[in-house]
Amino acid sequence: MKGENLKVIGSESFAEKQKLTDLSVKGAATFHQDVEVKNFYILGRCKIEGHVKAEKFVNKGSCFVGSRLICDKFLNVGQGHIEEIHANAINSSGSLEMTRSILCKMFQSKGRLKVNGQLTGSYVSIETSAPSRINDITGEEEVIIRSGKSPLLNVMSFGKRKLTTYSISGNRVEIERTEAVRVCGEVVRIGEGCRVKEVFYTKELDVHPSSFVGASTHIQTRGR
């Protein structure tokens, strides 16, 4: 199916590798081999057992990718369970669960997030609206973690909007409602509701009175 368009409306299964221009799934589809496509749209349920390579990958339904997803833009407003993502820009406002890691330039998330490996990007922005967990977070330029502000969430659910991680590192790090073992950065701002075992910073550290920091170390950098 090289260079063709494919629309799945009912329930279909594909045993061979697919190479397409546009692929949309509005029903239920299973791909047992790799999928290479320019635009991939999911509105129903989709399972891909191989690798996926796409320019744009949009999930508004439920998707499972059992291997690596490589794309320029990834948009998730549904439920995604993916082994690994390599992308330029990622924007997720649904539920995203990673078996391994995420590597990207721009990362934005406003929903549930679970990453069993490392999240690495130049700019990382996470808004927690549900309990989330990431093993390690690296933002080469910036890491921002904020608690979601929703009028529908009551006081009892407020404490559950928390992100748990082992380590966070970046030039500039700003966090809220986060539990971490280690935080490292040039400028580090620990907002409300955080618990951090140790902080390493080179320029500036600010800690909200409601947060706990076990130890902080100011690392002196050598001048030229």
Side-chain angles (χ1 to χ4, degrees):
M1 292 187 177
K2 295 183 179 180
E4 295 182 2
N5 299 333
L6 176 63
K7 295 182 180 180
V8 179
I9 298 176
S11 179
E12 295 190 51
S13 179
F14 302 88
E16 298 180 351
K17 178 180 178 180
Q18 303 295 313
K19 189 169 184 180
L20 307 161
T21 301
D22 292 297
L23 172 57
S24 65
V25 177
K26 296 182 179 180
T30 300
F31 297 89
H32 296 282
Q33 299 294 331
D34 296 348
V35 175
E36 184 175 341
V37 63
K38 183 176 181 180
N39 300 305
F40 202 146
Y41 298 96
I42 300 171
L43 297 173
R45 291 182 290 111
C46 187
K47 180 179 180 181
I48 307 105
E49 296 176 353
H51 296 285
V52 177
K53 186 175 182 181
E55 290 185 15
K56 181 185 289 186
F57 190 100
V58 178
N59 176 45
K60 296 184 178 181
S62 174
C63 78
F64 171 88
V65 180
S67 193
R68 180 179 296 175
L69 166 62
I70 301 174
C71 61
D72 181 41
K73 296 181 180 180
F74 174 80
L75 174 64
N76 175 58
V77 295
Q79 292 183 333
H81 190 150
I82 302 169
E83 182 185 55
E84 185 176 358
I85 298 178
H86 290 193
N88 183 40
I90 296 175
N91 192 325
S92 177
S93 57
S95 174
L96 182 61
E97 183 171 345
M98 306 297 304
T99 306
R100 296 177 62 186
S101 60
I102 296 175
L103 177 63
C104 63
K105 184 176 181 181
M106 306 287 295
F107 181 86
Q108 290 182 305
S109 173
K110 292 185 178 181
R112 178 180 175 273
L113 185 61
K114 181 180 180 182
V115 182
N116 291 326
Q118 186 168 13
L119 166 57
T120 304
S122 297
Y123 297 89
V124 176
S125 175
I126 299 171
E127 186 175 306
T128 56
S129 58
S132 298
R133 180 173 63 83
I134 304 171
N135 276 16
D136 298 282
I137 303 171
T138 299
E140 296 174 3
E141 296 296 330
E142 185 176 75
V143 177
I144 306 293
I145 301 173
R146 294 192 173 94
S147 178
K149 307 298 191 296
S150 173
L152 299 178
L153 296 174
N154 56 32
V155 176
M156 293 297 293
S157 65
F158 186 72
K160 297 180 181 180
R161 286 177 282 148
K162 179 182 68 176
L163 185 141
T164 303
T165 183
Y166 179 81
S167 68
I168 303 172
S169 61
N171 285 343
R172 183 181 184 87
V173 177
E174 296 185 15
I175 62 176
E176 292 179 352
R177 304 273 168 195
T178 300
E179 287 190 8
V181 174
R182 182 180 297 115
V183 175
C184 307
E186 291 186 356
V187 177
V188 178
R189 303 193 185 280
I190 309 295
E192 62 179 336
C194 295
R195 288 187 64 86
V196 181
K197 186 175 181 180
E198 55 184 350
V199 175
F200 297 89
Y201 68 101
T202 58
K203 290 184 179 180
E204 183 180 343
L205 171 63
D206 181 74
V207 181
H208 192 275
S210 69
S211 293
F212 169 82
V213 173
S216 61
T217 302
H218 184 197
I219 301 175
Q220 300 289 342
T221 56
R222 293 182 180 180
R224 294 183 178 178

